[in-house]
Amino acid sequence: MQPFPGDQIQLPRNMIENSMFEEEPDVVDLAKEPCLHPLEPDEVEYEPRSSRLLVRGLGEHEMDDDEEDYESSAKLLGMSFMNRSSSLRNSMSVYRQSSNGSCSLPSTRTMVVCTVILVIAVALIMVIYLLPKCIFTKEGCHKKNHTMELIYPLATNGKLFPWAKIRLPSDVVPLHYDLVLQPNLTSLKFSGSVKIVVNIIRVTWKIVLHSSGLNITKATITSAGGHQEKPAELLEYPLHDQIVVMAPEALLVGQNYTVNIAYSSNLSDTCYGFYKISYKDENSKQRWFAATQFEPVAARSAFPCFDEPAFKATFLIKIRRDEKLSTLSNMPKKATTPVTNGIVQDEFFVSLKMSTYLVAFVVADLKNISRETNGSLVSVYAIPQHINQVEYALNTSVKLLEFYQNYFLINYPLEKLDLVAIPDFQSGAMENWGLITFRESSLLFNSRTSSARDKKLITAVIAHELAHQWFGNLVTMEWWNDLWLNEGFATFMEYFAMEEIFPELHSDEDFLNLIFKAMMKDSLNSSHPVSSAVQSSEQIEEMFDALSYIKGASLLLMLKHYLTKDVFQAGIEVYLHNHNYGCAQSDDLWDSMNEITNGTLDVKKLMKTWIVQKGFPLVSVVRKGKIISVKQEKYLYLVEPENWTSDESYLWHIPLTYITSSCNFTHCTNAYLLDQKSAVIELPEEVEWIKFNVDMNGYYIVHYGEDWKTLIDLLKKNHTALSPKDRANLINNIFSLAGLGKESLEKAFELIDYLNKESSTAPLTQALFQLSLIYNLLEKKGEQQLAARLMHRIECLLGDKIDQQSWTDDGALSQRELRSTLLAFACTHDIRNCRTTATEMFEKWVNSNGTMSLPSDVMKAIFTAGAKSSDGWDFLLKMYSSSVSEAEKSKMIEALASTEDVRKLIWLMQNSLEGEVIRTQELSHIIATVSQSLPGYLLAWDFVKENWEKLTRKFHLGSYMIQNIISWSTSQFSTKAHLVEVKSFFESKSEQSSQLHSVKEAIDTIQLNIQWMERNLAMLQELL
């Protein structure tokens, strides 16, 4: 899956994780676990006290093998003693009754004796009762890990629900699903039935599986070879989205049984599960569209299932529909048969073995174009009015599919691959096997309105999702703690494939900027390891973040350069062949790589230091003649005593790379593995300068100490001695170190003085990003004069470069993208004559009633300038409602959200939440844009506070939409008052909300902003 790239850190999918109740440990031991259950079998989840039931006397058939040894919690708490000892009350009474029925007081001696006897009796009973029975046996007791006994919750009907864990048991595994669905796009409901063939691993009387929001009307069990369905008792526990089918008799090891369940539900009004979408057709008539989004845990809301990635099975899907509509699913269509008047049933071929989150189906009025390649039919689908925008996606998909098949040496295993543009879709795309679903702006290319950046985005998203057909679909992570195996690999392959097939797109520069942004998140104390223990749905959702995607991908990039591309490719081939149609953990990947290195390098030992530790290293370099001293420490912005782990516990195995003045070409790159806290590198000769982390291929920051002056002089005299990526790397590192307090802001500004000679996109983009961060902090802090002086400094550096830009779509793709960046920045901040020129072009467009063609690369700048006036804003909104180009609409949304009219901003956010004129998928993009402006940043936060309950109903807690909304609405705060307000707000909400990693990250970011201002404000006043 790909979170939408326009938000926050533009995740390539194009776009979760740790314990919800405590800070993640800094080092996590990821011991290899069995495929079906990475968690230890004795790991137990405990429910809120209100939902617990203390249980005694369960029949043997109601308990698993590993549960039978447990005593009840009532016993543990000593509660049962009260019942057992009640019979003692009469015989041991310390009162005597006289013949007349009155009581006489006992003697003192009697009282003492009775008290002693009572105490001894109670003590003996307690000891006998509470000690494990095994103490009194010949064999004695086996040592247990259990610190508490199982506490079972109550089902919805008040009965005992015989499963207490969030994870499903491993005693029953699914083999095959027969799924029949009938969605009604008039009533917006659906009914369904599922037959699940299961195999019994251990004797049990229960089958535990997932179900969420389904109205189950029937549940039966059929034994292997049997024809009679036997009614089964059904228990539901909504807190864990679980149901239990209680068998009428014991289910035997090795036998297959079929679970039959009938149910119904509403089509979801969120973008999760099996959901409904409203859109306007060519005649402006409202139409309905039904689609699925199951990753990570929403398949259970469309059909009862074993909704965990390791429970792979095959699927036979049948969908009943209106004969005027069409359906798509993972597999090719096998047959269509009439059911009743106007209703037909489409049956699809049986799928390959796959996880539930990859199941998909679409019911809609669609058109498509197709092309065959290597035995597979590739098709791109869209609603009829968009079919003329799918050709670029089809051509790109065919090229990428052919590339991946050649690179992995494994053919795409299905006979067809469908790519479908969905009118309202929260992710960038979703990699469902054989049926990839996309946000329309991530798939549709309009040659008239799509910019160079739009083309790059579409290419990247397709490349990402096609890579998933191998990484994720063919080989799947065993559990969500290793999500990076899916997403990190798909992100890495996305950029690698684009460099190989579409070098003119310069996608490596985009990846560089994403790594810089991911490192900002990873430097906070609220960060987490790439591979992190997760269980709840909120924790799982939060794994879909920049660390799983970007950090995971950058670690693979670093490993590829260290191993060499041929060794790395061979390791990938071994990994895919060893685990195809199965599941894998991080260690399986490293073991595959070690098969190729054959003992020359322990890849597992090296990479574990990166996967199980959060954060990244800061490498300090001291040069004295030919001797280079290097040392590593943890790079960390914020240190809080209560949850800080000493730097001494952190050690990375860092594949250092460096070039020197004696030879600065790529083939002259030197390597050194720093696997200790410090080391010394001896050069063959003295050099004028040395640059570490060549092309930013390593995931670390470098501090050059006294050598910063040498590098600053190099950039001023001959900046092309370093590659554009190396120049961007230096800009990022020195500003990062200034924020950390390890280098002066004065030196950072001195380094970028060379920019008036810069012409490459990567360093210019990174400089603008760093300077914009500072400008935004100053502006929101009320330091308007200082902010204006900073903008004047930027204009002096880049003004000539801005003046050189033409208002056209001419030039190479990289030139066009730089033009978009510079002119959008200049118009936003009213630099030079940008806004005047843009306004004139906007007025001409308005006078043509929107029919005049505008250059796509500068369209956003023109719309943003036009939206500054009330009439221009209103016209833009009208054109948004009627536009059929998703690329054009995306630029309009950003322009509409850039207005300074408070009422319009409030209306825009509220309308997007309701999804009437503005689609709900745009909300986080709108909040991100609104929060950048001076009037908007407070409005965005107020909107989030006032609509928190609606937001968390619409977008799941922990989802990347919620992550981005929290981040953007708070990222501009830099005062202690705002820090207290944000903390107090989330503390007043549910524990799940307050413990979200995105909330902790937001608080860390505000503290960092406060710290940055305290450290650098005085220096800025002198510098500017």
Side-chain angles (χ1 to χ4, degrees):
M1 187 171 70
Q2 207 157 3
F4 180 60
D7 300 336
Q8 191 190 358
I9 294 183
Q10 303 176 355
L11 295 186
R13 229 198 301 190
N14 267 323
M15 15 156 254
I16 269 153
E17 246 101 301
N18 310 332
S19 168
M20 291 183 58
F21 305 106
E22 61 185 2
E23 182 69 13
E24 267 303 298
D26 293 310
V27 180
V28 180
D29 182 14
L30 296 178
K32 186 157 181 160
E33 302 146 334
C35 178
L36 278 175
H37 235 294
L39 289 181
E40 292 298 324
D42 59 343
E43 210 165 78
V44 179
E45 293 304 311
Y46 297 95
E47 298 315 312
R49 194 173 184 85
S50 60
S51 68
R52 298 178 186 171
L53 178 67
L54 302 178
V55 182
R56 290 200 63 207
L58 291 178
E60 288 183 5
H61 68 282
E62 294 174 303
M63 302 182 75
D64 281 0
D65 294 342
D66 63 343
E67 296 166 17
E68 291 179 6
D69 292 335
Y70 282 88
E71 296 296 333
S72 73
S73 293
K75 188 186 299 181
L76 180 68
L77 297 172
M79 295 171 65
S80 296
F81 168 73
M82 299 304 294
N83 297 326
R84 289 195 174 188
S85 61
S86 62
S87 61
L88 300 173
R89 289 177 188 144
N90 293 328
S91 62
M92 297 187 65
S93 174
V94 294
Y95 292 95
R96 296 189 294 273
Q97 195 174 38
S98 66
S99 58
N100 63 6
S102 63
C103 292
S104 61
L105 287 174
S107 67
T108 302
R109 182 171 179 270
T110 303
M111 284 283 288
V112 170
V113 171
C114 288
T115 301
V116 170
I117 292 172
L118 179 62
V119 169
I120 292 170
V122 170
L124 283 171
I125 292 170
M126 289 286 285
V127 167
I128 293 170
Y129 199 87
L130 293 177
L131 284 176
K133 295 182 182 68
C134 54
I135 283 181
F136 307 104
T137 66
K138 183 178 179 180
E139 294 81 4
C141 294
H142 297 290
K143 194 170 182 179
K144 297 257 183 202
N145 284 336
H146 309 305
T147 56
M148 291 186 67
E149 297 184 348
L150 277 174
I151 300 176
Y152 287 104
L154 290 176
T156 51
N157 62 0
K159 291 187 177 182
L160 169 72
F161 190 84
W163 189 248
K165 306 177 185 181
I166 293 178
R167 300 286 301 278
L168 298 181
S170 56
D171 50 9
V172 178
V173 296
L175 301 177
H176 176 77
Y177 294 78
D178 274 0
L179 177 62
V180 180
L181 287 165
Q182 183 165 352
N184 186 320
L185 295 189
T186 302
S187 67
L188 303 178
K189 300 177 184 294
F190 71 95
S191 59
S193 64
V194 65
K195 295 182 178 180
I196 312 174
V197 179
V198 298
N199 180 257
I200 307 304
I201 306 300
R202 289 192 295 272
V203 174
T204 185
W205 289 72
K206 66 181 184 299
I207 298 175
V208 187
L209 63 161
H210 288 112
S211 173
S212 177
L214 302 177
N215 175 30
I216 296 175
T217 54
K218 186 182 81 167
T220 63
I221 293 180
T222 308
S223 61
H227 300 290
Q228 182 181 358
E229 294 186 8
K230 297 181 180 180
E233 182 183 11
L234 186 84
L235 301 171
E236 299 182 74
Y237 185 49
L239 188 63
H240 286 173
D241 290 343
Q242 289 174 353
I243 58 173
V244 166
V245 178
M246 298 299 298
E249 56 193 15
L251 305 176
L252 304 179
V253 172
Q255 296 295 306
N256 290 351
Y257 297 85
T258 302
V259 182
N260 310 278
I261 301 175
Y263 61 95
S264 62
S265 188
N266 296 321
L267 290 169
S268 174
D269 57 3
T270 69
C271 288
Y272 297 91
F274 192 17
Y275 70 100
K276 61 181 183 284
I277 303 154
S278 170
Y279 70 97
K280 298 286 180 67
D281 65 13
E282 302 101 314
N283 303 313
S284 297
K285 181 181 176 183
Q286 185 184 44
R287 302 290 300 273
W288 289 97
F289 189 122
T292 57
Q293 171 57 47
F294 289 162
E295 190 179 30
V297 291
R300 63 192 67 174
S301 64
F303 59 100
C305 58
F306 294 77
D307 201 10
E308 294 181 6
F311 285 117
K312 290 191 169 187
T314 56
F315 295 81
L316 172 61
I317 295 173
K318 300 175 183 177
I319 299 178
R320 296 176 180 177
R321 59 169 171 89
D322 187 307
E323 61 185 358
K324 296 176 183 176
L325 300 175
S326 58
T327 60
L328 297 170
S329 188
N330 304 84
M331 301 301 290
K333 196 175 295 181
K334 181 179 181 182
T336 300
T337 55
V339 179
T340 58
N341 287 340
I343 302 296
V344 297
Q345 176 175 283
D346 291 329
E347 178 180 344
F348 298 88
F349 284 99
V350 176
S351 76
L352 299 177
K353 192 177 177 184
M354 63 182 183
S355 304
T356 48
Y357 78 86
L358 293 170
V359 174
F361 27 88
V362 170
V363 182
D365 178 16
L366 296 168
K367 289 189 176 180
N368 72 286
I369 62 173
S370 305
R371 184 186 307 166
E372 189 171 341
T373 177
N374 200 29
S376 296
L377 186 66
V378 181
S379 305
V380 183
Y381 288 82
I383 57 177
Q385 61 262 45
H386 289 162
I387 194 62
N388 62 341
Q389 300 176 47
V390 301
E391 188 175 358
Y392 178 75
L394 180 62
N395 294 336
T396 301
S397 300
V398 170
K399 289 178 183 176
L400 286 162
L401 196 64
E402 292 170 350
F403 171 78
Y404 286 141
Q405 291 180 126
N406 292 331
Y407 186 80
F408 300 137
L409 296 182
I410 298 177
N411 284 340
Y412 173 72
L414 304 183
E415 293 180 8
K416 65 99 173 175
L417 175 63
D418 297 334
L419 295 83
V420 187
I422 308 289
D424 202 354
F425 196 76
Q426 285 176 21
S427 303
M430 175 62 208
E431 66 268 18
N432 316 295
W433 216 350
L435 179 60
I436 306 176
T437 45
F438 292 79
R439 182 181 284 215
E440 287 183 323
S441 59
S442 299
L443 189 68
L444 305 179
F445 181 82
N446 185 314
S447 57
R448 192 175 65 87
T449 59
S450 295
S451 65
R453 188 169 296 168
D454 294 326
K455 176 180 278 192
K456 188 183 287 191
L457 168 67
I458 292 166
T459 309
V461 178
I462 295 172
H464 184 100
E465 304 309 329
L466 262 61
H468 268 310
Q469 306 305 298
W470 287 265
F471 288 100
N473 300 6
L474 185 67
V475 180
T476 311
M477 78 267 139
E478 287 182 5
W479 182 241
W480 300 105
N481 63 303
D482 275 331
L483 176 68
W484 83 273
L485 283 176
N486 281 19
E487 299 302 349
F489 246 119
T491 304
F492 167 78
M493 290 306 304
E494 158 191 346
Y495 288 101
F496 176 65
M498 287 174 70
E499 280 187 68
E500 294 290 315
I501 308 173
F502 307 101
E504 72 280 2
L505 295 180
H506 295 281
S507 58
D508 56 330
E509 294 182 353
D510 293 283
F511 188 35
L512 184 69
N513 284 320
L514 289 174
I515 294 171
F516 290 148
K517 292 177 184 177
M519 291 179 90
M520 289 178 66
K521 176 187 176 81
D522 202 18
S523 66
L524 301 174
N525 204 51
S526 53
S527 182
H528 61 86
V530 169
S531 185
S532 299
V534 291
Q535 287 216 48
S536 71
S537 60
E538 292 85 3
Q539 292 170 340
I540 291 167
E541 292 268 13
E542 283 204 291
M543 287 297 286
F544 291 80
D545 69 354
L547 302 183
S548 293
Y549 285 77
I550 311 304
K551 182 177 181 180
S554 63
L555 297 181
L556 291 170
L557 176 69
M558 181 171 68
L559 183 62
K560 170 178 168 277
H561 280 279
Y562 189 58
L563 295 180
T564 73
K565 63 180 182 179
D566 292 338
V567 171
F568 181 79
Q569 182 178 357
I572 287 177
E573 290 168 8
V574 169
Y575 171 75
L576 290 175
H577 280 92
N578 286 352
H579 302 282
N580 59 5
Y581 302 105
C583 47
Q585 303 175 41
S586 296
D587 279 357
D588 295 319
L589 175 61
W590 313 138
D591 289 340
S592 298
M593 294 289 178
N594 278 340
E595 285 187 38
I596 304 301
T597 59
N598 198 25
T600 57
L601 173 70
D602 188 343
V603 176
K604 183 187 293 187
K605 185 178 179 182
L606 184 152
M607 293 307 294
K608 265 185 173 289
T609 67
W610 296 93
I611 296 299
V612 302
Q613 294 184 129
K614 68 180 182 180
F616 55 88
L618 168 63
V619 176
S620 298
V621 177
V622 176
R623 180 169 62 97
K624 289 183 180 178
K626 295 190 295 182
I627 303 300
I628 311 295
S629 299
V630 292
K631 71 169 185 176
Q632 63 163 293
E633 61 187 292
K634 185 179 181 186
Y635 184 100
L636 183 66
Y637 273 121
L638 293 176
V639 175
E640 294 188 23
E642 66 270 18
N643 57 11
W644 176 61
T645 302
S646 169
D647 281 353
E648 296 305 312
S649 65
Y650 286 87
L651 178 70
W652 286 267
H653 291 191
I654 312 171
L656 296 176
T657 56
Y658 59 92
I659 53 174
T660 69
S661 55
S662 62
C663 184
N664 59 342
F665 298 108
T666 306
H667 66 269
C668 296
T669 300
N670 301 279
Y672 180 87
L673 184 63
L674 179 62
D675 56 2
Q676 299 174 0
K677 281 289 184 182
S678 61
V680 172
I681 303 171
E682 185 173 353
L683 302 178
E685 59 184 348
E686 287 195 31
V687 294
E688 293 178 19
W689 55 264
I690 186 168
K691 162 69 173 69
F692 276 82
N693 202 357
V694 179
D695 282 343
M696 185 62 191
N697 288 328
Y699 193 74
Y700 56 93
I701 279 178
V702 183
H703 184 20
Y704 294 94
E706 296 299 319
D707 254 11
W708 273 115
K709 186 177 186 312
T710 306
L711 291 168
I712 289 169
D713 290 340
L714 176 66
L715 290 176
K716 288 178 179 177
K717 294 172 185 175
N718 182 21
H719 67 281
T720 56
L722 299 174
S723 71
K725 287 195 281 188
D726 273 332
R727 302 197 295 270
N729 178 221
L730 289 177
I731 293 170
N732 170 269
N733 282 193
I734 199 164
F735 274 94
S736 299
L737 291 167
L740 199 62
K742 285 188 173 286
E743 195 49 83
S744 71
L745 196 59
E746 180 180 12
K747 196 167 285 184
F749 273 88
E750 190 180 350
L751 184 140
I752 60 171
D753 277 342
Y754 90 96
L755 282 178
N756 53 13
K757 296 182 290 186
E758 184 61 82
S759 58
S760 295
T761 304
L764 286 169
T765 302
Q766 180 57 205
L768 275 179
F769 175 76
Q770 295 293 342
L771 294 170
S772 294
L773 289 178
I774 299 172
Y775 177 85
N776 286 335
L777 282 179
L778 292 173
E779 184 187 46
K780 310 307 184 298
K781 181 78 170 175
E783 297 282 350
Q784 267 70 31
Q785 286 190 343
L786 199 53
R789 280 151 56 188
L790 174 61
M791 195 53 62
H792 177 71
R793 178 75 174 263
I794 296 172
E795 186 173 356
C796 291
L797 282 174
L798 302 178
D800 290 344
K801 191 70 58 185
I802 291 167
D803 289 341
Q804 292 166 12
Q805 305 305 311
S806 63
W807 292 77
T808 67
D809 286 337
D810 298 337
L813 216 110
S814 59
Q815 292 174 300
R816 294 173 57 189
E817 192 167 11
L818 179 59
R819 178 185 304 138
S820 292
T821 301
L822 289 175
L823 290 180
F825 181 86
C827 283
T828 298
H829 297 286
D830 201 11
I831 294 177
R832 301 293 172 116
N833 295 319
C834 183
R835 195 175 287 183
T836 303
T837 305
T839 303
E840 289 172 358
M841 295 182 76
F842 181 80
E843 288 171 355
K844 289 178 182 177
W845 180 70
V846 170
N847 292 335
S848 73
N849 201 28
T851 59
M852 186 182 94
S853 181
L854 293 173
S856 59
D857 293 328
V858 295
M859 190 181 287
K860 187 175 84 171
I862 294 168
F863 287 162
T864 301
K868 296 296 179 186
S869 72
S870 181
D871 289 343
W873 194 94
D874 292 339
F875 182 80
L876 205 56
L877 179 62
K878 185 183 83 169
M879 295 304 295
Y880 172 87
S881 303
S882 60
S883 175
V884 294
S885 166
E886 289 305 309
E888 185 176 58
K889 291 175 83 166
S890 179
K891 297 174 183 68
M892 288 176 174
I893 278 291
E894 196 162 338
L896 290 168
S898 299
T899 181
E900 295 176 2
D901 188 318
V902 170
R903 288 173 301 175
K904 285 179 164 56
L905 292 175
I906 294 171
W907 180 90
L908 199 63
M909 290 187 288
Q910 194 63 49
N911 192 276
S912 181
L913 178 59
E914 293 162 3
E916 293 175 4
V917 179
I918 311 295
R919 289 178 185 158
T920 306
Q921 68 181 19
E922 304 292 354
L923 181 58
S924 66
H925 189 197
I926 290 170
I927 289 175
T929 307
V930 169
S931 67
Q932 297 303 298
S933 68
L934 188 57
Y937 85 111
L938 295 175
L939 291 177
W941 171 237
D942 286 343
F943 175 82
V944 170
K945 287 189 297 182
E946 291 165 12
N947 294 279
W948 181 249
E949 280 70 28
K950 288 182 182 177
L951 289 167
T952 52
R953 280 197 301 270
K954 195 74 174 176
F955 315 113
H956 292 181
L957 262 186
S959 67
Y960 69 87
M961 290 289 269
I962 290 294
Q963 290 179 48
N964 287 341
I965 286 169
I966 291 171
S967 175
W968 279 116
S969 63
T970 59
S971 64
Q972 303 292 310
F973 295 155
S974 60
T975 66
K976 291 179 180 177
H978 275 131
L979 176 63
V980 170
E981 183 182 341
V982 172
K983 278 184 173 180
S984 301
F985 173 76
F986 286 111
E987 285 169 359
S988 72
K989 300 302 171 185
S990 67
E991 186 176 36
Q992 289 94 333
S993 295
S994 63
Q995 293 300 318
L996 288 174
H997 274 281
S998 48
V999 170
K1000 294 176 182 177
E1001 181 187 325
I1003 291 167
D1004 273 1
T1005 301
I1006 298 170
Q1007 289 175 319
L1008 175 61
N1009 291 344
I1010 294 169
Q1011 177 183 300
W1012 195 97
M1013 292 298 285
E1014 289 173 349
R1015 180 178 287 150
N1016 293 298
L1017 188 58
M1019 171 67 74
L1020 271 175
Q1021 288 168 338
E1022 289 180 22
L1023 282 175
L1024 302 173

